[in-house]
């Protein structure tokens, strides 16, 4: 990589992690400064800043008020879901600090103390941010469950986390429908073995909830008579939150994040990865139910004294494909982060990106994409219509912040479409084959991270240390297994090609579904696509393509033939790509990930379980009918 700023910082973090992260930790206002940076004594359960004491809420809010920045905007809530037009609510750092302190007092009055768990079951409303920060203020452990999550899945999380209390909204808003949350919560609590003491309910006028006497308390009634609560000092290693990610056994995996390492890593990433400065406007178009919402709607921007934008709406349909451009314009956004699937949705409706011309997006400096592999066509289209650098970067719920990125705040690098650029300092990435042998440049294999992981990564799984080791640390000794497949090229760039179970074996040749999708997505009439490996008696597996066309395109059969021909021309006959079909939509999770594993089971005629995180079950059923008819 040469001798630039990136290489120097990366080498320092790799050869002297204690020195590097000890220096980064000096940016925080510790209540008790740590003398030990990294405790290796209980490996693989490494702990960062074990003798330090702080409070993440103080670091995110009170500190900035104490430093004289109380009048700076902290949070802008923009809702495109409430009637005609959109509604905007703005809160300064002082206003948000005061609201959080008051709600922390309300939680304390209801019996919540340090170490207790609180489940937050809310849509994209400011009160969700207030609830998360109020828990952090008390030293309580929040677990945000995506609003509208199915009752059974919510019940499993209630039983696993054993919360003292649930904070919920009466409903969430989707385009053309209202999702009542309270009946789902009541059903989940009836099913769960663990019983909570109270539910604090935020009534929304679109669907008011029926309260259970003695258990349920209205948000405003909880605040009545409550006194503002100070920040409770906690150990750096104390859990800040549990975030559940779907487990293969049906038992959810509760990723545990700490206070100290998390704050140090996110604060460092805001400047070095995202190029954000204090006072900038930062918008992550995600949801607080996902890791992006935790890291870069709530904690990262506030720790770095940015203004964070919280958007309740969609990229299209609220009201049109110009929704994102309107938000960029209205709030003078400097750094924007969303998923590639959002841009594919916009591109499908507005292939030329014509609507962006109706808005002033000149405040935007950089667009960041993550959540699914970004195909080169989406990357170039996004950059072309917005006129800014586009950064495809890679990370996971478990890691909490980016593993690989183009570090625009440290040393911007040439873009290689299809690559997440280079490992972020702190992440020592390698490629191993299934036997654990390190692979040479450009050879696809298992992407792994050498232990110890940097600050901000998961500590363990909630009440499941053995499962944590088995799931992530056993397959390759001394490494964290990402379960992603890819390669590192001769320039040190990381190419994430697919989940490891999406690498298909065609007559002995290992092929990445991502590489095939890359070719198909470049077709001008294809809005998005998915390739799955389907069982074949002769070749082991064969790739099948599912294509979604741009709105108005009526030449589906021709597009399929052209896509097949293009794969044959670019990847070669070895891909044996002969089967593709047009579908109306691709089934996805609410965070935008295509349900490739479920589609593969359908194509192989295997039974499957409806994924808990699915965005729309009808889309999966529609695609299932198409696949079954082939």
């Amino acid at each position: 990589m040469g001798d630039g700023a990136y290489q120097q910082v990366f080498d320092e973090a790799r050869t002297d992690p204690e020195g590097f992260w000890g220096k980064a930790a000096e940016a925080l206002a510790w209540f008790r400064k740590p003398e030990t940076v990294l405790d290796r004594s209980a490996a693989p359960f490494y702990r960062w800043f074990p003798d330090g004491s702080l409070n993440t809420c103080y670091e995110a809010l009170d500190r900035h008020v104490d430093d004289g920045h109380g009048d700076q905007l902290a949070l802008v809530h923009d809702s495109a879901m409430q009637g005609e037009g959109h509604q905007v609510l703005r809160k300064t750092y002082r206003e948000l600090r005061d609201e959080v302190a008051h709600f922390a007092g309300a939680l304390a009055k209801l019996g919540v103390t340090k170490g207790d768990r609180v489940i937050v079951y809310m849509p994209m409303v400011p009160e969700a941010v207030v609830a998360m920060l109020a828990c952090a203020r008390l030293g309580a452990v929040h677990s945000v469950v995506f609003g509208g999550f199915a009752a059974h899945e919510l019940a499993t999380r209630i039983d696993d986390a054993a919360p003292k209390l649930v904070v919920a909204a009466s409903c969430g808003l989707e385009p053309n429908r209202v999702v009542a949350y309270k009946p789902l919560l009541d059903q989940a609590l009836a099913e769960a073995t663990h019983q909570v003491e109270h539910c604090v309910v935020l009534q929304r006028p679109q669907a008011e909830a029926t309260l259970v006497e003695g258990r349920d308390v209205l948000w405003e009634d909880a605040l009545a008579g409550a006194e503002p609560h100070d920040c409770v000092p906690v150990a750096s290693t104390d859990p800040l939150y549990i975030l559940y990610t779907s487990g293969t056994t049906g038992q959810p995996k509760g990723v545990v994040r700490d206070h100290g390492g998390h704050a140090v890593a996110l604060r460092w990433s805001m400047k070095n990865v995202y190029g954000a400065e204090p006072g900038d406007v930062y918008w992550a178009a995600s949801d607080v139910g996902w890791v992006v919402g935790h890291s870069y709607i709530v904690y990262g921007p506030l720790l770095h004294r940015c203004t964070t934008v919280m958007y309740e709406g969609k990229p299209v349909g609220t009201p049109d494909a110009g929704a994102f451009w309107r938000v960029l314009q209205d709030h003078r956004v400097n750094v924007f982060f969303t998923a590639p699937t959002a841009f594919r949705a916009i591109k499908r409706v507005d292939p030329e990106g014509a609507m962006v011309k109706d808005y002033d997006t000149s405040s935007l400096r950089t667009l960041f994409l993550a959540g699914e592999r970004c195909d080169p066509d989406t990357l170039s289209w996004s950059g072309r219509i917005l006129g800014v650098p586009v950064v495809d970067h890679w990370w996971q719920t478990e890691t909490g912040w980016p593993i690989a990125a183009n570090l625009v705040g440290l040393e911007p690098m040439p873009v290689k479409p299809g690559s997440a650029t280079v490992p972020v300092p702190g992440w020592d990435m390698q490629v191993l084959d299934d036997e654990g042998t390190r692979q040479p440049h450009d050879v696809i294999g298992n992407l792994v991270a050498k232990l110890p992981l940097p600050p901000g990564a998961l500590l363990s799984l909630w009440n499941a240390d053995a499962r944590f080791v088995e799931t992530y640390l056993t397959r390759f000794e001394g490494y964290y297994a990402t379960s992603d497949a890819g390669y590192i090229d001769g320039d040190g760039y990381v190419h994430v090609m697919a989940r490891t179970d999406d690498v298909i074996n065609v007559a002995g040749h290992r092929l990445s579904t991502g590489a095939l999708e890359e070719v198909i997505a470049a077709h001008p009439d294809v809005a998005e696509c998915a390739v799955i490996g389907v069982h074949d008696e002769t070749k082991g597996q064969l790739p099948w393509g599912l294509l979604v066309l741009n709105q108005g395109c009526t030449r589906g059969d021709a597009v399929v033939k052209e896509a097949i021909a293009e794969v044959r021309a670019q990847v070669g006959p070895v891909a044996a790509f002969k089967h593709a079909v047009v579908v109306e939509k691709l089934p996805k999770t609410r965070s935008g990930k295509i349900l490739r594993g479920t589609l593969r089971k359908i194509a192989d005629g295997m039974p499957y379980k409806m994924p808990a995180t699915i965005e729309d079950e009808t889309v999966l059923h529609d695609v299932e009918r198409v696949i079954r008819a082939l």
Side-chain angles (χ1 to χ4, degrees), residues 476-491:
F476 303 107
E477 187 176 352
Y479 296 93
Y480 162 81
T482 66
S483 293
D484 278 317
Y487 63 92
I488 298 175
D489 68 21
D491 294 324

Side-chain angles (χ1 to χ4, degrees), residues 488-538:
I488 298 175
D489 68 21
D491 294 324
Y493 278 50
V494 179
H495 300 252
V496 185
M497 301 306 294
R499 297 295 283 172
T500 50
D501 54 5
D502 284 330
V503 174
I504 59 177
N505 196 317
V506 180
H509 297 276
R510 284 166 60 84
L511 294 173
S512 156
T513 55
L516 304 183
E517 289 171 2
E518 194 172 292
V519 176
I520 300 166
H523 191 290
D525 290 321
V526 175
E528 60 179 341
C529 63
V531 173
I532 55 175
V534 179
H535 176 72
D536 180 75
E537 290 293 339
T538 305

Side-chain angles (χ1 to χ4, degrees), residues 290-551:
W290 308 120
V291 69
V292 172
H294 282 59
S295 295
Y296 295 112
I297 294 176
V298 182
Y299 290 111
L302 297 179
L303 287 165
H304 198 50
R305 191 168 55 77
C306 293
T307 299
T308 185
V309 176
M310 185 183 197
Y311 175 63
E312 187 181 30
K314 304 289 182 183
V316 297
T318 56
D320 53 35
F324 275 10
W325 321 143
R326 194 269 305 165
V327 175
L328 293 174
Q329 169 190 272
D330 288 0
H331 308 304
R332 308 303 296 157
V333 173
N334 305 121
V335 183
F336 180 30
F337 175 3
T338 191
T341 188
F343 271 76
R344 293 186 195 115
I346 295 168
K347 179 172 172 276
R348 185 187 184 202
V349 177
D350 183 14
E352 301 304 315
M355 293 193 75
V356 77
K357 298 181 179 67
D358 297 333
Y359 300 91
D360 177 7
T361 61
S362 60
S363 61
L364 186 66
R365 296 196 301 265
T366 320
L367 167 66
F368 287 83
L369 298 173
E372 271 250 306
R373 183 175 184 274
C374 184
D375 58 280
D377 188 63
T378 299
L379 189 86
S380 63
W381 186 86
S382 307
R384 188 168 68 250
I385 66 160
L386 283 172
V388 299
V390 181
V391 174
D392 173 21
H393 63 320
W394 168 55
W395 51 296
Q396 304 174 326
T397 299
E398 290 87 348
T399 69
W401 63 292
I403 305 171
N406 197 331
L407 287 86
V408 299
L410 182 62
E411 183 189 358
M413 296 184 178
V415 171
K416 289 189 181 184
S419 170
T421 316
V422 291
V424 173
W427 295 96
D428 186 350
M429 302 308 300
Q430 297 179 19
V431 179
L432 306 179
D433 67 12
D434 289 343
E435 282 69 50
T437 302
R438 193 166 178 177
Q439 298 299 285
H441 294 316
D442 301 316
V443 175
I444 195 167
N446 301 283
L447 286 163
V448 299
K450 193 172 183 182
L451 299 179
L453 298 181
L458 79 169
L459 297 181
S460 185
L461 298 176
W462 183 253
N463 287 336
D465 285 349
R467 188 180 182 202
F468 163 67
V469 174
E470 179 188 352
T471 303
Y472 301 106
L473 308 181
T474 300
R475 187 172 180 201
F476 303 107
E477 187 176 352
Y479 296 93
Y480 162 81
T482 66
S483 293
D484 278 317
Y487 63 92
I488 298 175
D489 68 21
D491 294 324
Y493 278 50
V494 179
H495 300 252
V496 185
M497 301 306 294
R499 297 295 283 172
T500 50
D501 54 5
D502 284 330
V503 174
I504 59 177
N505 196 317
V506 180
H509 297 276
R510 284 166 60 84
L511 294 173
S512 156
T513 55
L516 304 183
E517 289 171 2
E518 194 172 292
V519 176
I520 300 166
H523 191 290
D525 290 321
V526 175
E528 60 179 341
C529 63
V531 173
I532 55 175
V534 179
H535 176 72
D536 180 75
E537 290 293 339
T538 305
K539 293 182 179 288
Q541 285 180 299
L542 285 175
W544 283 17
L546 302 171
L547 281 57
V548 177
L549 306 184
N550 291 329
Q551 277 191 358

Side-chain angles (χ1 to χ4, degrees), residues 87-138:
Q87 297 181 7
V88 176
L89 184 67
R90 296 178 172 88
K91 296 179 187 293
T92 65
Y93 270 95
R94 182 177 291 105
E95 289 168 340
L96 187 55
R97 189 270 319 261
D98 291 349
E99 282 191 40
V100 168
H102 193 186
F103 192 65
L107 292 178
K109 192 178 171 189
L110 290 169
V112 176
T113 60
K114 178 180 173 180
D116 286 339
R117 274 79 60 211
V118 173
I119 280 186
V120 178
Y121 186 60
M122 303 186 87
M124 287 290 284
V125 291
E127 289 85 356
V129 177
V130 170
M132 293 167 70
L133 290 165
C135 290
R137 193 175 192 86
L138 294 174

Side-chain angles (χ1 to χ4, degrees), residues 200-221:
V200 177
V201 180
L202 174 72
Q203 293 281 34
R204 302 189 82 188
Q206 293 84 358
E208 293 201 352
T210 302
L211 303 187
V212 174
E213 193 172 347
R215 186 194 73 190
D216 297 348
V217 183
L218 288 175
W219 179 280
E220 56 268 30
D221 291 345

Side-chain angles (χ1 to χ4, degrees), residues 152-153 156 247 249-251 598 601 606-612 620:
H152 172 70
E153 298 296 334
T156 64
T249 63
Q251 177 69 18
T598 305
K601 287 181 179 178
M606 298 169 61
Y608 70 91
K609 179 185 174 186
M610 185 63 67
L620 182 60

